[in-house]
Amino acid sequence: MSALESLHERVAELADLTALEMLAKWDQLVMMPSEGAPARAFQLGVLARLAHERGTAEEIGGWLAELDDADLGDVDRDIVRLARRDWERARRVPPELAEELSRAQAEGQERWQEARARDDFAGFAPALERNVELARAYGKCVADDGQSTYDALLADYDFGLRTVELRRVFAELARALPPLVDEAVLRSPRRRLAVPVGAQQAAVAGTLRRIGVDEASWRVDVSAHPFTSWMGRRDTRLTTRYLDGDVESLLSSLHEYGHALYERQVDPALERTNLGFGTSMSVHESQSKLWENHVARNRGFAEVLAGELEKAGCAVSAAELHASLVGVERTLIRVSADPLTYPLHIILRFELELAMVEGDLEVGGLPDAWQDGMRRLLALEVPSDAMGCLQDIHWGAGSFGYFPSYALGCLIAAQLWETIEAQLGPRDEDLRRGEVVPIQRWLAEHVHRHGRRLDTVPLVERATGRGLDSEPFLRYVAPLAGR
Amino acid sequence: MSALESLHERVAELADLTALEMLAKWDQLVMMPSEGAPARAFQLGVLARLAHERGTAEEIGGWLAELDDADLGDVDRDIVRLARRDWERARRVPPELAEELSRAQAEGQERWQEARARDDFAGFAPALERNVELARAYGKCVADDGQSTYDALLADYDFGLRTVELRRVFAELARALPPLVDEAVLRSPRRRLAVPVGAQQAAVAGTLRRIGVDEASWRVDVSAHPFTSWMGRRDTRLTTRYLDGDVESLLSSLHEYGHALYERQVDPALERTNLGFGTSMSVHESQSKLWENHVARNRGFAEVLAGELEKAGCAVSAAELHASLVGVERTLIRVSADPLTYPLHIILRFELELAMVEGDLEVGGLPDAWQDGMRRLLALEVPSDAMGCLQDIHWGAGSFGYFPSYALGCLIAAQLWETIEAQLGPRDEDLRRGEVVPIQRWLAEHVHRHGRRLDTVPLVERATGRGLDSEPFLRYVAPLAGR
């Protein structure tokens, strides 16, 4: 086999191992009996160790050296470029640490699930401490010369982004948003709609079906925290949850659909290569936020959602539903937050995880720090840790450096949406009829098909003609405050 | 690390890979959207290749050599003994063949599912031909000097059993059973009970709950063909199916429970070693057949089942239910067969797969040969391939040499049951009250806890005081023919 063939085979194998890991984690959260957890932690540990061993093998270095001056086509050149980047980065992590991380993450998720159910932060703290320690150890291993630990962690989710840039963008938002929130809670207050769970389920199923979710290549299940998995381009699994007296499920299912569509529309020629995945967490979040903020919260699309609710026996006007979906309210829960306050939730998490990783905040001090931050950014008191620092799975799952991408996703989604409307015309009339095919196609062409071939900023520049820019997002939320 | 520690770590890894393979296959048959199949075939191929590579690595030979004269405890001695046996056998299979087998098996299952649904043998034949060729290639690789290909295949399911012995046992049954069938269809004819699917589901759930199936460590799902998976001792997943106007689900769920209980009661000290699994397919089938034939078909236990059906709103007397569960009828479908005709279905499959592997039967001739065999053994005409040679998943999944264990399981179950009743007293009164704990404990002590430490015949000898013996089974079925 040539060096290129060997490399192709190896990246295919690694893609398959990633799919198996997705399956094992999806199953853990959606299907697995709870007492299966200890065995699952071992199974995930072995997958992680094998992926690490195969992805960091000496022989890959040999193939890469042979391919240094090779005359390659465009795709193969990118396969080799990303293989080199991934290999060099992964080689810095000892196999034992990779396995320990994976095991601690699986156990951390279990502890988090229990602790959240019982509002028991003390029960979660040891697992969180372990995850912070391991994240630090990992960040130190993978850091480039002079790179900070947190910057090194960020690169796993968003290659090329830096803490200093996050501080700048988040400072802009932290300055601009609170005055808008003060006005919006008066002008566009959130009103809850008492939609029964059964009607929500039917409306979610009906809406997803209208935009292409079929049983032949999708699953839609329930989990404590909505998420999306893919085990190949044609096996997409999204989860949602249904809360009585809220319509969050209508938003979160469209949010997850955005993640799912991204992976499904990557160029099929990149499947089972190292390029056949979404390029970064912030671009991924831009896709989910685009469907959540700009489609599900669109005034025209509210007619589709109201129609689906009506079919399920729940009469609500499109205007009333739309007002509920875009209404602003200071809330304790990130995933229930309106689009205007949402980035403030992220800024809090960014500050706290940065402080934990840099050693400025002990894990034991997290509940108090959370309380302080919520007072400062959102003027809210936190009544319990379950409604506070235990609400998200991320830290339990060992993800540090992931949260910022949620806020960047809001910004990029708004940039993409302005470009879509500039190129295709206003979307309201199409969305009133549930017509999303032009949006799907535009995203496939300008965002999805590239897979990992373009990093975040080059991709945004190419798709929108500009770099990262907070103005479109601020224009999107301004009307909520009557501006 | 010492050689023993290295070996322990490797067998733990292989046990984890086996669990992941079980998960991927369970998901494929129970949860996966159909279009996920091509990607799943690649994923299973990679798992098989990695398991093969790690299980056949040169270094294992080094550890085994070092451990040759080591002073080891009982368990470690068996770990080393089985590791040597497995390693030597697996080393004979080239990695490419192992991966090809796995991929062909995954694809064969998909083709089988489609072909069965459409009664389209021609659509399945190419996949079956491929599986037969690969089974032959595999059998030739693993055969000992002078061992026949089919004997070599058998050893994967039942180490130490030989075709010549199967021919002898099956000849005994083929001689003794048909006259019994002639009498039994008149004396104990099967009468179908029209139990609605909903009541069956409730009764299956209620019965399983009474014998220890809880949500914390079990799943019970629906699939086209009932089967059982385990991803660790405390994550047990059985499936069943519900047919309108039949109570097969009451039997098949207890059958699958027998498989599940075996794996759950292996000595916890053997977990994540090469000993921590059921020892052979025939002993596994003896466990499922014990719960199907000797518990679910017990006259006393019929009161439990009838009680559960009554709770579900379906009134049926215990006597009527029992008569239906033990009634004899010549049927086309193996899994619906009564205990008396069941081994004749197996003898047919044994003859046909032996002929296909030995080259005496072309795949294209299978439907006719099936027809001939059913006429000869069961005096039945086969109206369609879906009701004939397409009814079982095994050949589609590449399993040749597996079927015989079903009939051996019936024999061993009857041997074990006679021993249980000899030692604990007749079980009827206990079973009338749903009391199965003494049976569970007896099986744990005499069968389950040993895992792979004892092969089939030594285990049966130790548990029953005798070798393989068809007399207890013939005594069990004789009353159906009024003898």
Side-chain angles (χ1 to χ4, degrees):
Chain A
M1 256 197 302
S2 72
L4 187 60
E5 284 165 343
S6 298
L7 189 64
H8 278 163
E9 191 176 279
R10 182 59 53 90
V11 297
E13 179 185 289
L14 294 172
D16 292 334
L17 287 172
T18 299
L20 286 161
E21 189 189 0
M22 282 232 174
L23 171 63
K25 289 182 171 174
W26 173 84
D27 181 84
Q28 181 176 37
L29 293 171
V30 181
M31 294 293 162
M32 187 184 78
S34 59
E35 292 181 13
R40 182 56 50 89
F42 281 119
Q43 293 151 16
L44 285 166
V46 164
L47 274 183
R49 193 180 67 229
L50 287 175
H52 185 79
E53 279 182 34
R54 311 287 291 185
T56 57
E58 196 63 44
E59 58 206 9
I60 296 177
W63 304 330
L64 292 172
E66 263 192 69
L67 290 163
D68 242 351
D69 304 316
D71 184 24
L72 300 172
D74 280 358
V75 170
D76 280 335
R77 203 158 48 233
D78 278 346
I79 287 175
V80 171
R81 179 172 61 85
L82 270 289
R84 182 171 286 119
R85 184 208 277 180
D86 293 342
W87 182 76
E88 287 175 354
R89 190 168 163 83
R91 292 271 287 185
R92 299 174 184 171
V93 187
E96 300 73 28
L97 177 59
E99 187 171 1
E100 211 179 340
L101 275 162
S102 172
R103 198 177 305 149
Q105 287 163 5
E107 287 171 10
Q109 281 182 64
E110 291 298 318
R111 293 298 88 70
W112 168 76
Q113 278 194 322
E114 296 159 7
R116 182 173 180 247
R118 297 182 201 145
D119 187 24
D120 172 24
F121 179 76
F124 176 53
L128 179 56
E129 261 168 43
R130 185 100 199 92
N131 279 353
V132 172
E133 274 165 31
L134 287 169
R136 253 186 235 141
Y138 173 81
K140 288 203 175 78
C141 286
V142 296
D144 292 324
D145 281 349
Q147 191 180 31
S148 77
T149 302
Y150 191 76
D151 269 3
L153 293 176
L154 270 182
D156 267 351
Y157 305 102
D158 239 290
F159 196 86
L161 279 184
R162 298 176 57 210
T163 308
V164 64
E165 293 174 78
L166 289 177
R167 286 195 198 272
R168 180 183 59 78
V169 183
F170 289 167
E172 285 174 24
L173 294 174
R175 196 165 48 240
L177 291 178
L180 291 177
V181 174
D182 288 339
E183 292 169 52
V185 292
L186 300 173
R187 186 168 182 109
S188 316
R190 183 152 170 200
R191 291 197 182 85
R192 294 244 179 301
L193 287 177
V195 173
V197 166
Q200 290 180 51
Q201 287 171 325
V204 164
T207 305
L208 291 175
R209 207 157 38 231
R210 285 179 70 156
I211 59 176
V213 172
D214 60 56
E215 283 189 4
S217 74
W218 295 76
R219 284 192 63 92
V220 180
D221 294 282
V222 170
S223 70
H225 191 93
F227 71 100
T228 308
S229 288
W230 44 91
M231 294 121 209
R233 284 179 61 252
R234 310 291 299 164
D235 183 352
T236 310
R237 307 188 183 192
L238 62 84
T239 74
T240 186
R241 63 176 179 186
Y242 300 96
L243 305 177
D244 210 14
D246 197 354
V247 288
E248 166 194 312
S249 61
L250 300 178
L251 296 168
S252 75
S253 56
L254 270 286
H255 176 104
E256 296 305 327
Y257 171 82
H259 286 303
L261 188 68
Y262 186 6
E263 294 289 332
R264 289 173 69 89
Q265 294 200 129
V266 171
D267 182 349
L270 307 183
E271 198 169 8
R272 297 184 75 240
T273 76
N274 53 347
L275 307 176
F277 301 95
T279 194
S280 70
M281 282 306 119
S282 66
V283 174
H284 239 295
E285 286 302 315
S286 79
Q287 296 311 293
S288 54
K289 282 293 171 188
L290 187 142
W291 288 88
E292 177 191 343
N293 283 352
H294 301 278
V295 176
R297 287 192 167 102
N298 176 281
R299 191 177 298 275
F301 200 71
E303 298 194 12
V304 171
L305 295 173
E308 292 294 333
L309 285 171
E310 196 180 340
K311 278 189 231 166
C314 177
V316 54
S317 78
E320 202 180 3
L321 180 60
H322 178 251
S324 173
L325 294 176
V326 301
V328 176
E329 176 187 58
R330 291 181 170 96
T331 170
L332 292 157
I333 305 296
R334 175 181 65 84
V335 295
S336 313
D338 57 82
L340 179 50
T341 56
Y342 186 83
L344 296 168
H345 290 268
I346 299 308
I347 292 168
L348 170 67
R349 287 155 177 77
F350 165 68
E351 290 175 355
L352 296 178
E353 70 178 18
L354 182 61
M356 284 193 286
V357 168
E358 291 188 341
D360 298 333
L361 173 64
E362 295 291 320
V363 161
L366 181 62
D368 285 346
W370 190 280
Q371 178 71 270
D372 292 346
M374 285 300 281
R375 281 189 192 129
R376 176 167 47 83
L377 290 165
L378 281 151
L380 286 173
E381 294 297 309
V382 182
S384 72
D385 293 329
M387 307 280 279
C389 62
L390 286 176
Q391 70 183 266
D392 293 307
I393 196 173
H394 303 64
W395 294 336
S399 299
F400 297 87
Y402 185 132
F403 276 123
S405 62
Y406 288 125
L408 295 178
C410 297
L411 304 190
I412 298 169
Q415 289 187 261
L416 292 171
W417 190 255
E418 282 196 352
T419 310
I420 287 172
E421 294 210 307
Q423 292 183 11
L424 304 182
R427 293 291 86 207
D428 301 39
E429 282 313 307
D430 266 14
L431 290 180
R432 198 177 304 281
R433 291 174 292 110
E435 174 58 270
V436 297
V437 171
I439 300 169
Q440 291 169 336
R441 290 204 180 130
W442 192 93
L443 291 171
E445 173 62 24
H446 297 276
V447 180
H448 299 170
R449 71 182 172 91
H450 302 295
R452 290 180 75 206
R453 298 186 69 187
L454 295 170
D455 286 323
T456 306
V457 174
L459 182 140
V460 171
E461 283 173 352
R462 189 178 163 139
T464 70
R466 296 179 61 97
L468 286 176
D469 179 0
S470 61
E471 288 304 317
F473 178 75
L474 291 171
R475 279 195 286 275
Y476 163 68
V477 292
L480 297 169
R483 296 200 185 169
Chain B
M1 258 198 300
S2 72
L4 187 61
E5 284 165 344
S6 298
L7 188 65
H8 278 164
E9 191 176 278
R10 182 59 53 91
V11 297
E13 179 185 288
L14 293 172
D16 292 334
L17 287 173
T18 298
L20 285 162
E21 189 190 0
M22 282 231 173
L23 171 63
K25 289 182 170 174
W26 173 85
D27 182 83
Q28 181 176 36
L29 293 171
V30 181
M31 294 293 162
M32 187 184 78
S34 59
E35 292 181 13
R40 182 57 48 90
F42 282 118
Q43 293 151 17
L44 285 166
V46 164
L47 273 184
R49 195 180 65 227
L50 287 175
H52 185 79
E53 278 182 34
R54 311 288 290 184
T56 57
E58 197 63 45
E59 59 206 10
I60 296 177
W63 304 331
L64 291 172
E66 262 192 71
L67 290 163
D68 243 351
D69 304 316
D71 184 25
L72 300 171
D74 281 357
V75 170
D76 281 333
R77 203 158 48 232
D78 279 344
I79 287 175
V80 172
R81 179 173 62 86
L82 270 288
R84 181 170 288 118
R85 184 207 277 179
D86 293 342
W87 182 76
E88 287 175 354
R89 190 168 162 83
R91 291 271 288 184
R92 300 174 183 169
V93 187
E96 300 73 28
L97 177 60
E99 186 171 2
E100 211 180 340
L101 276 162
S102 173
R103 197 176 305 149
Q105 286 162 5
E107 287 172 8
Q109 281 183 65
E110 291 298 318
R111 293 298 87 72
W112 167 76
Q113 279 194 322
E114 296 159 7
R116 182 174 180 246
R118 297 182 200 145
D119 187 25
D120 171 25
F121 179 76
F124 176 54
L128 178 56
E129 261 168 43
R130 184 102 200 92
N131 278 353
V132 171
E133 276 166 30
L134 287 170
R136 253 187 235 141
Y138 173 81
K140 289 204 174 79
C141 285
V142 297
D144 292 324
D145 281 347
Q147 191 180 30
S148 77
T149 302
Y150 191 76
D151 269 4
L153 294 175
L154 271 183
D156 267 352
Y157 305 103
D158 239 289
F159 196 87
L161 278 184
R162 298 177 57 211
T163 308
V164 65
E165 292 175 78
L166 289 177
R167 287 194 197 273
R168 180 183 57 79
V169 183
F170 290 167
E172 284 173 25
L173 294 174
R175 196 166 48 239
L177 291 179
L180 290 178
V181 175
D182 289 339
E183 291 169 54
V185 292
L186 300 174
R187 187 170 181 106
S188 316
R190 183 151 171 200
R191 291 199 183 83
R192 294 245 178 301
L193 286 177
V195 173
V197 166
Q200 290 180 51
Q201 286 171 326
V204 165
T207 305
L208 291 175
R209 205 156 40 231
R210 285 179 72 156
I211 59 177
V213 172
D214 60 56
E215 283 189 5
S217 75
W218 295 75
R219 284 193 63 93
V220 180
D221 294 282
V222 170
S223 70
H225 191 93
F227 71 101
T228 308
S229 289
W230 44 90
M231 295 122 209
R233 285 179 60 253
R234 308 292 298 163
D235 182 352
T236 310
R237 307 187 183 193
L238 62 85
T239 74
T240 186
R241 63 177 179 185
Y242 299 97
L243 305 177
D244 210 14
D246 197 354
V247 288
E248 167 194 311
S249 61
L250 300 178
L251 296 168
S252 74
S253 56
L254 270 286
H255 176 105
E256 297 305 328
Y257 171 82
H259 285 302
L261 188 68
Y262 186 5
E263 295 289 331
R264 289 173 68 90
Q265 294 202 129
V266 172
D267 183 349
L270 307 183
E271 198 169 7
R272 298 184 75 241
T273 76
N274 53 347
L275 307 177
F277 301 95
T279 194
S280 71
M281 282 306 118
S282 66
V283 175
H284 239 296
E285 286 302 315
S286 78
Q287 296 312 293
S288 54
K289 282 293 171 188
L290 187 142
W291 287 88
E292 177 190 344
N293 283 352
H294 301 278
V295 177
R297 289 193 165 101
N298 176 281
R299 190 177 299 276
F301 199 71
E303 298 194 13
V304 171
L305 296 173
E308 293 293 334
L309 285 171
E310 196 182 340
K311 278 189 231 166
C314 176
V316 54
S317 78
E320 202 181 2
L321 180 61
H322 179 251
S324 174
L325 294 176
V326 301
V328 176
E329 176 188 57
R330 292 181 169 96
T331 170
L332 292 157
I333 305 296
R334 174 182 65 86
V335 296
S336 314
D338 56 81
L340 179 50
T341 57
Y342 187 83
L344 296 169
H345 289 268
I346 299 308
I347 291 168
L348 170 66
R349 287 155 177 78
F350 165 69
E351 290 175 356
L352 296 177
E353 71 177 17
L354 182 61
M356 284 193 287
V357 168
E358 291 188 341
D360 299 332
L361 173 63
E362 295 292 319
V363 161
L366 181 62
D368 285 346
W370 191 280
Q371 179 70 270
D372 293 345
M374 285 300 280
R375 281 188 191 129
R376 177 168 46 83
L377 291 164
L378 280 152
L380 286 173
E381 293 297 309
V382 182
S384 72
D385 293 330
M387 306 282 278
C389 63
L390 287 176
Q391 71 185 263
D392 292 308
I393 195 172
H394 303 65
W395 294 337
S399 299
F400 298 87
Y402 185 132
F403 277 123
S405 62
Y406 288 125
L408 295 177
C410 296
L411 305 190
I412 298 169
Q415 288 186 260
L416 292 170
W417 190 256
E418 282 197 352
T419 310
I420 287 172
E421 294 209 307
Q423 292 183 10
L424 304 181
R427 293 292 85 208
D428 301 38
E429 282 313 306
D430 266 14
L431 289 179
R432 198 176 305 281
R433 292 176 289 109
E435 174 59 271
V436 297
V437 172
I439 300 169
Q440 291 169 335
R441 291 204 180 129
W442 191 93
L443 291 170
E445 173 63 24
H446 297 276
V447 180
H448 300 169
R449 71 182 171 91
H450 302 296
R452 290 180 74 207
R453 299 185 68 186
L454 296 170
D455 287 322
T456 305
V457 174
L459 182 139
V460 170
E461 284 173 352
R462 189 178 163 141
T464 70
R466 297 177 61 96
L468 285 178
D469 180 0
S470 61
E471 288 305 316
F473 178 76
L474 291 171
R475 279 194 287 274
Y476 163 68
V477 292
L480 296 168
R483 297 201 184 169

